[in-house]
Amino acid sequence: MKTKLTLAGAMIAAIWISGCSGKKEQKNGPDTLAVNVFNLSADSLSTNDRIVYDGTLEAEKTIDLSFQVSGTILSFPVLTGDYVKKGQLVGVIDETVYRNQYNAQLAQAKLAEENYTRINDVFKKGSVAEIKMLEAKSNYEQATSAARATYQNIAHTHLYAPASGYIGEKKAEAGAVANPGQPVLQLLDTHSVKVLVAVPESEINHYKAGTLATVKIDALGDQPLQGKVSEVGVLALSGSANYNLKISLANNDLKLRPGMLCKVVFNKAAGNVASSNDVKEVIVPVQSVQVDEKGVSFLYVMNAAHKAERKNVTTGQLYSNGIAIRTGLAGNEQVITSGYQKLADQTPVIVNK
């Protein structure tokens, strides 16, 4: 009898434990995640008044310097990055061959001069034919011209900067043989610089020469610089549907250097940029938009039930205050801007305080 009661008690205990365990599993559900939200309102509707592009600075002029004669390079008295003035010596090649040629031709020119002088004196006395005097004169002039030409070769063994600027690149080293027209140094004229901007084909026709632009360079802080479009590309960049815009900037203090990265802002509200439409778009923080494995852009909003709701969206232009959403949002949602990496559709959320 005691054995039966013991077994019955064990079965009851097992059922009670199982029941408790089942109730505990039923309570399990998605964890509530704390997130930050961005409230969309009329302030987040844009008329495309600001358009932002990435840009790169380049020199106004890039000059490849080369010797006009061949020879072994003796030295470059400048280093990459040095600022040089117009007329400053920047390279020297060995002049020995040209100097020897000049000395030989100079001696011939002096001999021809003496011969011409003697014959001319005799001609004046009527003791020699005029043709002899003219031949002597011609030989003297030819020898003098040859000597002058060789002397120019000596002068060309010294390379001078044709303009003031920075040495951008050395394309040869001392000891190498220079050939006429072969670049050995690169000179960058940076008294003014250009900002190179790649613009999509759908937007390139909005710009023309003279369009105003604001340029912000991270390396120089937040001080904005004002420039104007100087060139609008007509040929697409290789392998893309983008076209180049060039924006001119003054560089009086020479702080702007080629290669610096910048942001270029065009203000359509000021009437500088032509536009084919003024459709209002919803602007959201860039970090809130994600792309799934199928390439679909989406974000999460918090609905009235305090749950994350996935919204597939179509993105538009990048602006200074965020990215445009063309379709997928009404403009009155609460967009989740943090913690979205752990979210799934219908995950309970609570707003950080």
Side-chain angles (χ1 to χ4, degrees), residues 184-196:
V184 293
L185 289 175
Q186 186 183 70
L187 180 66
L188 305 177
D189 183 356
T190 59
H191 287 89
S192 62
V193 296
K194 290 184 179 180
V195 182
L196 198 63

Side-chain angles (χ1 to χ4, degrees), residues 51-287:
I51 305 175
V52 182
Y53 299 104
D54 291 321
T56 305
L57 298 188
E58 64 175 19
E60 177 71 21
K61 295 180 182 178
T62 300
I63 307 171
D64 287 332
L65 304 183
S66 61
F67 290 99
Q68 296 185 41
V69 294
S70 61
T72 302
I73 300 173
L74 296 181
S75 67
F76 288 115
V78 292
L79 300 175
T80 300
D82 284 353
Y83 180 80
V84 298
K85 295 182 179 180
K86 182 178 180 179
Q88 182 175 335
L89 180 67
V90 295
V92 180
I93 63 176
D94 189 0
E95 66 173 36
T96 302
V97 173
Y98 303 109
R99 178 67 67 178
N100 291 337
Q101 289 176 354
Y102 172 68
N103 289 336
Q105 291 174 348
L106 185 61
Q108 291 178 357
K110 289 181 179 180
L111 179 61
E113 182 182 12
E114 292 177 359
N115 186 51
Y116 166 63
T117 301
R118 289 197 305 269
I119 293 177
N120 190 42
D121 290 341
V122 174
F123 169 73
K124 289 178 180 179
K125 295 178 181 179
S127 301
V128 69
E130 183 181 5
I131 188 64
K132 293 293 184 181
M133 182 273 295
L134 293 176
E135 287 179 355
K137 182 181 179 181
S138 177
N139 291 336
Y140 164 59
E141 291 176 347
Q142 289 180 22
T144 302
S145 297
R148 288 175 180 171
T150 302
Y151 184 78
Q152 289 301 311
N153 289 339
I154 295 174
H156 291 154
T157 60
H158 289 65
L159 183 62
Y160 299 93
S164 298
Y166 287 96
I167 300 298
E169 182 183 359
K170 293 174 67 175
K171 300 185 177 182
E173 295 295 338
V177 176
N179 294 312
Q182 176 187 356
V184 293
L185 289 175
Q186 186 183 70
L187 180 66
L188 305 177
D189 183 356
T190 59
H191 287 89
S192 62
V193 296
K194 290 184 179 180
V195 182
L196 198 63
V197 180
V199 177
E201 61 179 2
S202 60
E203 300 167 19
I204 189 64
N205 288 330
H206 296 171
Y207 304 98
K208 60 183 180 180
T211 301
L212 299 178
T214 300
V215 180
K216 296 181 179 179
I217 302 173
D218 293 338
L220 302 182
D222 296 329
Q223 182 65 32
L225 303 174
Q226 299 301 318
K228 291 182 179 180
V229 174
S230 58
E231 297 180 30
V232 180
V234 294
L235 293 176
L237 299 177
S238 177
S240 71
N242 294 331
Y243 293 78
N244 270 340
L245 280 183
K246 289 188 178 181
I247 300 163
S248 295
L249 287 179
N251 189 24
N252 298 327
D253 54 6
L254 300 179
K255 290 184 178 180
L256 304 180
R257 294 174 177 264
M260 285 183 173
L261 302 179
C262 61
K263 295 288 185 182
V264 178
V265 181
F266 291 100
N267 189 353
K268 288 177 61 177
N272 296 319
V273 181
S275 177
S276 58
N277 61 346
D278 288 321
V279 178
K280 290 187 177 294
E281 299 171 322
V282 179
I283 306 298
V284 302
V286 175
Q287 69 272 16

